[in-house]
Amino acid sequence: MAAELETLGRAVKQAQYRQHRALDGRLTTVGTTLAQWDALRAISRTPGATARSLAAATFQSEQAFGTLAGRLVAQGLLERRPGHGRRIEHHLTPAGEETLKAGHQVADEVLAECFAPLTEAERTTLLDLLHRLTGEPGEG
């Protein structure tokens, strides 16, 4: 049983790694990386969010997210604005919105390729199973 679970865990990690490599490689064609595009997505979903919440949303430490956000500011893709108290809010610039949009087009293509071996029903089943494992509610 333990070997089967290890094999299952490795297969999930392999699928994720393959997807991330493909995304990271193709996102360079629109001038970004997977980490940067993921940060732009998180900021777009929650404009004005703090570094702490954005770090959690992008599976990074606060320090790593702060470094990434600094690079996005330097590239003109992100603005940091003062909020209540010492809070710093994060907002996309128009250039950030454009990079995010271009990244969505790339991601749609890459993900379609990654999941092409599965039927629609199999993708639905996989998503349901992953939601059960992560404790996240389904979107359907």
Side-chain angles (χ1 to χ4, degrees):
M1 173 96 170
E4 291 172 8
L5 292 177
E6 288 176 13
T7 301
L8 176 60
R10 182 161 172 75
V12 169
K13 185 67 175 177
Q14 275 183 303
Q16 178 191 32
Y17 180 71
R18 179 177 167 249
Q19 175 186 316
H20 282 195
R21 272 194 14 241
L23 279 167
D24 208 30
R26 295 269 285 281
L27 284 167
T28 61
T29 65
V30 296
T32 194
T33 66
L34 178 55
Q36 291 172 346
W37 182 70
D38 194 36
L40 296 175
R41 280 192 310 173
I43 295 162
S44 176
R45 285 191 300 262
T46 55
T50 64
R52 173 175 284 167
S53 65
L54 292 168
T58 57
F59 306 101
Q60 297 183 52
S61 69
E62 284 184 61
Q63 182 178 4
F65 185 83
T67 300
L68 176 59
R71 286 195 304 267
L72 293 172
V73 168
Q75 293 173 359
L77 304 176
L78 170 66
E79 290 180 347
R80 290 176 168 157
R81 302 178 194 158
H84 295 298
R86 294 175 26 176
R87 178 184 166 118
I88 302 295
E89 298 180 348
H90 296 76
H91 298 272
L92 297 182
T93 64
E97 294 280 355
E98 286 301 315
T99 299
L100 178 65
K101 182 179 176 183
H104 278 302
Q105 292 172 330
V106 168
D108 288 348
E109 294 168 7
V110 169
L111 294 173
E113 292 167 11
C114 287
F115 291 103
L118 301 178
T119 66
E120 183 68 32
E122 289 170 330
R123 288 192 299 265
T124 299
T125 298
L126 177 59
L127 181 59
D128 290 344
L129 292 170
L130 290 171
H131 280 150
R132 282 178 43 197
L133 286 175
T134 60
E136 293 181 15
E139 293 182 23

